Amino acid sequence: MIVRFPVVDLEGRCLLSAGSRLDSETLQALSSSSPPEIRRGAPITIGDYGSVRRDLLGFLKEPPYRIIFDEGSIRFLMGAVMDGCRFPLPVLRSLGYFKINDSYTYRHILLVFALSSILGKELLEDDRDWIPEAMAGHMHDIGKVSVPVPILQKTCPLIPRERAYLEHHTVAGFVLLCHYLGDGKHLAARVARDHHERRNGTGYPRGILLEDRLVEIVAACDIYDALISQRPYRDAPYENRSALEELTHMARRGELSWEVVRILVAYNRTPRPPFQECTVSTERRGKVPKHNLYGVVAEEDEPEEDT
Ligand SMILES: [Fe+2]
Ligand SMILES: [Fe+2]
């Protein structure tokens, strides 16, 4: 794979320049060149970094998360998950970066982290398997540190080059996590690279068939939170009902599995049914927001760059 845009870390160092080939030799070099503070320093739990614990608790009080997260889920999240997920400091610093530069992404990554943790616990057979799942959730968009902030915050349609730059966050996240975690096979690195892939191969960056259930859980939580959140490119978020209907239609088209969608629907119901017994209607009754510019690509005057 050729990297189309530079991959830049939080300190502004260029790890890979545009046009570099991302092969096993490059990955090996990236993995073995992690910063000294990572090799020497003890990992820190996510709950002890900055105001993460307090901020996340605040986000979970807003609808629809206050329905999804009952008391037991919050206890699990604030205890076992927060204490079980340890990361090198530079990885956690990305949270601080987003809090300052892109508050939408900060809120989004914490909510995807929380949601994928409880869905992972519910769906995975081994009780301890939720740990890598939880660890991966809050780093899925870490590659956005390599995307210029004005592109992240643009309120009008992106031009093709900007769109490609935004999609670059998947590959950039993979490269950054190979570097920071010293392991290209770490679930978090795979999630960063593959969370925009779809089961029927219609996603990016590689257009592969998304078959890994762990990655798919994060992908579904990512879509759900993106739909129901305030975004720069539309006047209002999706209503919760229309967001769940959108996910249902993605399952119908083969982009997501029914099981993952069913569990999200079950968590939105009170009283909550066992997700295996939860029926999902394919009828569309919710309202989709007006002026939603997502995916709309503007004309580009400059010629595309040859790479
Ligand atoms: Fe993403
Ligand atoms: Fe995301």
Side-chain angles (χ1 to χ4, degrees), residues 104-105 108-109 112 137 140-142 144 169 195-196 218-219 221-223 225-226 231:
Y104 157 72
T105 296
H108 170 71
I109 51 184
V112 171
H140 75 282
D141 276 339
I142 193 173
K144 286 188 179 173
H169 81 277
H195 69 277
H196 286 282
V218 181
C221 298
D222 175 55
I223 299 161
D225 183 69
R231 301 296 297 262

Side-chain angles (χ1 to χ4, degrees), residues 195-234:
H195 69 277
H196 286 282
E197 302 287 4
R198 300 292 176 249
R199 284 174 67 80
N200 61 0
T202 54
Y204 65 87
R206 296 182 292 166
I208 57 162
L209 302 179
L210 178 57
E211 287 167 341
D212 188 324
R213 177 53 52 92
L214 297 173
V215 180
E216 196 198 347
I217 291 171
V218 181
C221 298
D222 175 55
I223 299 161
Y224 175 66
D225 183 69
L227 289 171
I228 60 172
S229 299
Q230 202 73 45
R231 301 296 297 262
Y233 48 75
R234 62 180 173 235

Side-chain angles (χ1 to χ4, degrees), residues 39-283:
R39 290 195 292 272
R40 286 197 303 266
I44 298 172
T45 58
I46 183 170
D48 291 332
Y49 181 79
S51 53
V52 162
R53 196 181 286 269
R54 197 179 58 238
D55 294 342
L56 180 53
L57 265 175
F59 299 148
L60 293 177
K61 285 188 185 136
E62 297 163 15
Y65 288 105
R66 66 171 176 234
I67 304 270
I68 296 173
F69 285 81
D70 57 16
E71 266 180 46
S73 306
I74 291 186
R75 249 197 325 274
F76 165 68
L77 192 64
M78 292 298 149
V81 176
M82 285 285 186
D83 297 338
C85 293
R86 293 171 175 275
F87 278 101
L89 185 57
V91 172
L92 291 175
R93 276 196 202 120
S94 64
L95 294 169
Y97 171 88
F98 289 125
K99 187 167 182 180
I100 293 168
N101 293 291
D102 181 8
S103 55
Y104 157 72
T105 296
Y106 178 67
R107 180 181 181 277
H108 170 71
I109 51 184
L110 289 185
L111 286 168
V112 171
F113 158 67
L115 196 52
S116 51
S117 300
I118 58 163
L119 298 199
K121 184 172 182 285
E122 179 93 32
L123 276 180
L124 301 172
E125 276 144 38
D126 181 336
D127 241 18
R128 300 295 292 168
D129 279 351
W130 56 264
I131 291 183
E133 189 65 28
M135 290 170 77
H138 79 90
M139 288 184 286
H140 75 282
D141 276 339
I142 193 173
K144 286 188 179 173
V145 303
S146 276
V147 179
V149 173
I151 294 181
L152 296 177
Q153 296 179 344
K154 210 167 165 192
T155 54
C156 52
L158 301 177
I159 59 173
R161 184 180 165 75
E162 291 168 334
R163 178 88 210 153
Y165 217 137
L166 189 62
E167 294 184 359
H168 168 68
H169 81 277
T170 50
V171 177
F174 177 65
V175 169
L176 285 163
L177 290 173
C178 285
H179 179 61
Y180 288 138
L181 303 176
D183 177 10
K185 293 195 173 70
H186 194 292
L187 176 64
R190 289 191 286 116
V191 164
R193 182 189 59 198
D194 296 340
H195 69 277
H196 286 282
E197 302 287 4
R198 300 292 176 249
R199 284 174 67 80
N200 61 0
T202 54
Y204 65 87
R206 296 182 292 166
I208 57 162
L209 302 179
L210 178 57
E211 287 167 341
D212 188 324
R213 177 53 52 92
L214 297 173
V215 180
E216 196 198 347
I217 291 171
V218 181
C221 298
D222 175 55
I223 299 161
Y224 175 66
D225 183 69
L227 289 171
I228 60 172
S229 299
Q230 202 73 45
R231 301 296 297 262
Y233 48 75
R234 62 180 173 235
D235 294 346
Y238 277 65
E239 290 172 354
N240 196 42
R241 176 195 285 271
S242 45
L244 291 170
E245 287 171 358
E246 198 60 48
L247 285 155
T248 303
H249 280 265
M250 291 183 77
R252 277 184 88 179
R253 291 195 298 262
E255 293 171 38
L256 293 172
S257 64
W258 281 106
E259 191 182 33
V260 170
V261 172
R262 198 174 287 128
I263 191 171
L264 257 174
V265 172
Y267 267 73
N268 269 284
R269 289 199 179 143
T270 43
R272 183 179 303 161
F275 79 91
Q276 298 87 342
E277 294 164 21
C278 182
T279 50
V280 179
S281 162
T282 53
E283 197 186 330

